Amino acid sequence: MTQAPPTPKAIRRRHDREIIALAVPAFGALVAEPLFVMADSAIVGHLGTAQLAGLGVASALLMTAVSVFVFLAYATTAAVARRVGAGDLQSAIRQGMDGIWLALLLGAAVIAVVLPTAPFLVELFGASDTAAPYATTYLRISALGIPAMLVVLAATGVLRGLQDTRTPLYVALAGFIANAVLNVGLVYGADLGIAGSAWGTVIAQCGMAAAYLVVVVRGARKHHASLRPDAAGIRACAQAGVPLLVRTLSLRAILLIATAVTARLGDADIAAHQIILSLWSLLAFALDAIAIAGQAIIGRYLGAGDADGARAACRRMVEWGIAAGVVLALLVVLARPVFLPLFTSDSVVQDTALPALLMVALSQPICGVVFVLDGVLMGAGDGPYLAWAMVVTLAVFTPVALLVPVLGGGLTAVWGAMTLMMTVRMVTLWLRARSGRWIVTGATR
């Protein structure tokens, strides 16, 4: 007797279970990164406005130095998931090991650049004379943890591709707790000030990298995958990551331009911007949890040759993204009287941040669609299109943002430009998803 095909409702329920199983743990792991910044901001913010402003500039630079290499997680997730879908676990883990070796090489290179140029980079961002010394101190110390941060990215990609988002959750939770305890102890207990915050973060990141390496090495031995660096494999990982690097550089350029424009508005504006950016990052990573599920699920479906399953999963995840964006928007509006005092007691900074905070709330449904479609196309290995779309977005955003101080706009206008940026991203990604050209099946794209 022939079994009846599943109903649309049954298919939606199946996708919902897959999304929840991957997205919920991924959410916990993803928010660890902005929570690191938020914890640092809350602790340093009570040292003074100049220290918080310095942290704002240094954090933007540090996150740029790390986030431009986020392809170590995204490209690895897609490549590993495709091989999992094709049933080749040994090749999947070998692909992940190549990504980890690449992460170590890139981390060493970044340290070599950042340490001697830290004062110049801080000055380039237009930090005030009072904030610049704090920014330089934080940046130089935190740079020492960059190799560990990149290893965390690559190893996380391996586990996501293997459809495991629980292990990253456990490691991230342990890292966040360690970071918070170390920061309080070193900043106030040891009286190290902003330097203590930087050292606490470095130690926590190194601990997380060590935990990930233990898990990945154990998996490699189980499936008889080589742990040795392979020049051809590392080179292939780097080449596959180039389009995503272009995409990420364009996105980081947008965030850097926004910070640089705000820094020239004054210490109160850049301090408020640091608080808002911390929240925006937290919300973005929360929405990205669905996108992470998308990367793993889409990669697995395409690796298994199931194009229809990939299309259905994409549609369902977009619905989830919109719903999550609406919920987050409401939470931001309701929590605004409590949120701002957590980070600063300066009434000027609070008043400056409030209207920008409401702008962030209004943009959340748009962000929900953007992050989900971004994840779907990454899972499909559609890096070249993502690179092109982000370059177009940068071209639209830049003149608008640079006009803010010229026209006398403030922090709210800067975040209005950020909302425009997300709208442009939504349009370009929706057009690609609708075309179906991203659907390419097989163990490799």
Side-chain angles (χ1 to χ4, degrees):
M1 182 176 178
T2 304
Q3 186 175 6
T7 65
K9 186 175 181 180
I11 293 174
R12 285 196 301 273
R13 283 200 301 266
R14 186 184 72 213
H15 287 310
D16 287 345
R17 287 194 297 270
E18 288 182 324
I19 293 168
I20 291 171
L22 290 171
V24 172
F27 169 76
L30 283 167
V31 298
E33 185 175 341
L35 283 175
F36 270 44
V37 178
M38 291 180 75
D40 289 357
S41 299
I43 294 167
V44 172
H46 292 285
L47 293 175
T49 299
Q51 286 91 334
L52 183 58
L55 176 64
V57 172
S59 293
L61 287 164
L62 183 66
M63 294 307 298
T64 298
V66 175
S67 296
V68 293
F69 301 117
V70 74
F71 70 84
L72 290 166
Y74 293 158
T76 302
T77 298
V80 171
R82 276 183 177 268
R83 287 163 174 78
V84 169
D88 189 354
L89 288 177
Q90 184 184 68
S91 176
I93 295 177
R94 175 65 258 182
Q95 179 82 20
M97 287 304 306
D98 290 336
I100 290 173
W101 281 111
L102 178 60
L104 288 170
L105 293 173
L106 292 173
V110 173
I111 286 180
V113 172
V114 172
L115 286 181
T117 61
F120 168 76
L121 293 172
V122 168
E123 182 181 357
L124 185 65
F125 260 63
S128 69
D129 291 340
T130 55
Y134 298 111
T136 302
T137 296
Y138 190 92
L139 181 60
R140 276 183 165 158
I141 296 172
S142 295
L144 300 176
I146 287 175
M149 296 180 195
L150 297 189
V151 167
V152 167
L153 285 177
T156 300
V158 177
L159 296 178
R160 289 173 183 167
L162 293 171
Q163 316 294 297
D164 175 10
T165 56
R166 290 184 178 274
T167 299
L169 169 62
Y170 301 145
V171 175
L173 287 175
F176 170 69
I177 293 170
N179 179 70
V181 172
L182 287 166
N183 269 256
V184 172
L186 294 174
V187 172
Y188 296 110
D191 199 25
L192 294 179
I194 196 170
S197 177
W199 280 118
T201 300
V202 168
I203 295 169
Q205 290 286 357
C206 289
M208 291 173 66
Y212 274 119
L213 288 175
V214 168
V215 174
V216 173
V217 168
R218 185 182 300 152
R221 288 175 175 167
K222 178 180 178 181
H223 296 286
H224 308 290
S226 174
L227 297 172
R228 295 179 180 178
D230 176 64
I234 294 172
R235 186 165 53 250
C237 283
Q239 291 171 346
V242 168
L244 290 181
L245 177 61
V246 172
R247 170 245 179 220
T248 304
L249 283 172
S250 299
L251 177 58
R252 294 310 304 179
I254 288 170
L255 299 177
L256 289 173
I257 289 169
T259 300
V261 168
T262 307
R264 286 165 172 78
L265 299 176
D267 280 1
D269 289 271
I270 188 62
H273 179 70
Q274 169 63 14
I275 294 171
I276 298 300
L277 189 59
S278 297
L279 175 65
W280 189 80
S281 297
L282 175 62
L283 297 173
F285 277 89
L287 292 170
D288 210 24
I290 306 171
I292 295 302
Q295 290 177 31
I297 292 170
I298 294 297
R300 192 187 75 236
Y301 274 124
L302 294 179
D306 188 354
D308 290 338
R311 288 191 188 92
C314 175
R315 286 193 298 269
R316 190 57 176 164
M317 281 182 283
V318 169
E319 294 170 358
W320 273 73
I322 294 171
V326 171
V327 170
L328 290 176
L330 293 174
L331 289 175
V332 170
V333 172
L334 293 174
R336 69 187 188 280
V338 178
F339 176 76
L340 292 175
L342 288 176
F343 292 89
T344 180
S345 56
D346 189 326
S347 61
V348 175
V349 175
Q350 290 185 22
D351 291 342
T352 302
L354 181 57
L357 188 66
L358 295 177
M359 182 68 70
V360 169
L362 290 173
S363 69
Q364 288 313 294
I366 296 172
C367 293
V369 176
V370 169
F371 283 102
V372 166
L373 291 180
D374 214 30
V376 166
L377 297 183
M378 284 181 188
D382 201 15
Y385 182 84
L386 290 171
W388 173 86
M390 191 57 75
V391 169
V392 170
T393 303
L394 173 62
V396 173
F397 171 81
T398 301
V400 175
L402 294 178
L403 281 173
V404 169
V406 175
L407 298 178
L411 183 62
T412 304
V414 172
W415 280 95
M418 291 286 286
T419 300
L420 171 65
M421 176 270 293
M422 294 302 293
T423 302
V424 174
R425 288 186 69 190
M426 182 179 68
V427 171
T428 57
L429 296 175
W430 177 79
L431 289 173
R432 184 64 167 183
R434 187 169 178 267
S435 73
R437 294 177 184 174
W438 53 278
I439 299 176
V440 179
T441 58
T444 59
R445 185 177 171 86

